[in-house]
Amino acid sequence: MIALGLEGSANKLGIGLIFHPKEDGPARILANIRHTFVSPPGEGFLPKDTAKHHRSWVIQLVRRSLKEARITVDDIDCICYTKGPGMGAPLQSVAVAARMLSLLWEKELVGVNHCVGHIEMGREITGAQNPVVLYVSGGNTQVIAYAEQRYRIFGEALDIAVGNCLDRFARTLEIPNDPAPGYNIEQLAKDGRCLLDLPYAVKGMDCSFSGILASIDLLAANLKASPSRLDPTTGELVTIADLCFSLQETVFAMLVEITERAMAHVGSNQVLIVGGVGCNERLQQMMGLMVQDRGGSVFATDERFCIDNGIMIAHAGLLAYKTGFMTALGNSTCTQRFRTDEVHVAWRT
């Protein structure tokens, strides 16, 4: 069976085609194409501009994916789209495109939870069996484990997501948004040497990032006003790289802590990191050190599958479709709020 997936919950428009064999076996990726709306340095992406970008690119990306996969419309069994969560206007643009293709090609629709798409794609690519999942992106921060056909949320961000924290600090520094603000923060952090004192806000199994962002923004403003500022502990000159390094070390330590607590609670020795921030090599390294002490394994993917993409929507949608799940045209809406644990994971026992 073959599914077409359309993802557009934020600034990335992804189109993917995936093949599932009739008998049990690995899925085969036929096409995985993505185009990103990039805003100017120091600015975020507005919903209306992002939606316009998705509407402008969706048809040509679908055509490119069919050509790359070397298949025709007749070969496709269903059309899967991101139902939520995400930004309203971009989600709506993609939902309209999916409905149009469904009617034009007479194919069934499948609405997919964005978060579940990340998890299932990560499991498929890495081969992780039953891991604790750390889902970290610009819009979500959750620690998740599977139980009784639901992905249960054990901990999450109480305010802004960790990716949003990193992205907004990139705006403060006015560094480029291309290829991604979080990636550019990561590269600057590699040259950091001075660990500055920042709030550490773990509350039970949950995290808070807004206070950390306010604190690091203040340090950045002070550094801009006084470029020769010295660290009071080491006496060394503080740099922009030190700010990025300190922010990463603090927020990633928080994420590692709550993930380890979830591992102990559910008795798992595997961690799967998914979502756009999951590409960060320092996060993977810190998580690896913790899991190694517990005799376990860390699983992660590269930017092809960590960052929002259409193939994860196609894969999760096809898993649901094979259980008999379909989205009627009248119900093919989208929603900004769609929690991970609302989805009935009928394809897992």
Side-chain angles (χ1 to χ4, degrees), residues 173 175 183-192 240-242 244-245:
L173 298 180
I175 61 178
Y183 173 82
N184 294 330
I185 290 278
E186 179 185 1
Q187 302 315 306
L188 285 169
K190 291 178 180 179
D191 295 325
I240 293 294
D242 292 328
C244 296
F245 170 72

Side-chain angles (χ1 to χ4, degrees), residues 28 71 82 126 146 176 178 185-186 206 232 264 284 287 311 328 332:
R28 184 155 53 92
I71 64 171
T82 304
T126 64
Y146 174 79
D178 189 19
I185 290 278
E186 179 185 1
D206 299 324
Q284 294 178 14
M287 192 67 70
I311 203 70
S332 59

Side-chain angles (χ1 to χ4, degrees), residues 80-111:
C80 312
Y81 75 99
T82 304
K83 188 177 182 68
M87 299 170 66
L91 280 172
Q92 190 176 49
S93 294
V94 172
V96 169
R99 285 197 292 269
M100 178 270 294
L101 293 175
S102 173
L103 290 170
L104 184 65
W105 295 345
E106 298 181 342
K107 304 292 181 181
E108 295 291 346
L109 271 175
V110 180

Side-chain angles (χ1 to χ4, degrees), residues 231-252:
D231 176 56
T233 304
T234 64
E236 295 182 2
L237 191 68
V238 177
T239 66
I240 293 294
D242 292 328
L243 297 182
C244 296
F245 170 72
S246 301
L247 178 60
Q248 277 200 167
E249 294 296 303
T250 303
V251 298
F252 292 167

Side-chain angles (χ1 to χ4, degrees), residues 133-187:
V133 179
L134 176 64
Y135 171 37
V136 278
S137 68
N140 298 276
T141 300
Q142 297 175 347
V143 177
I144 301 162
Y146 174 79
E148 299 177 349
Q149 296 193 313
R150 300 272 174 179
Y151 284 115
R152 313 287 177 173
I153 300 172
F154 283 76
E156 58 190 322
L158 296 172
D159 39 41
I160 61 173
V162 64
N164 186 243
C165 177
L166 296 170
D167 291 351
R168 284 166 67 174
F169 186 55
R171 262 182 265 167
T172 297
L173 298 180
E174 297 185 347
I175 61 178
N177 290 319
D178 189 19
Y183 173 82
N184 294 330
I185 290 278
E186 179 185 1
Q187 302 315 306

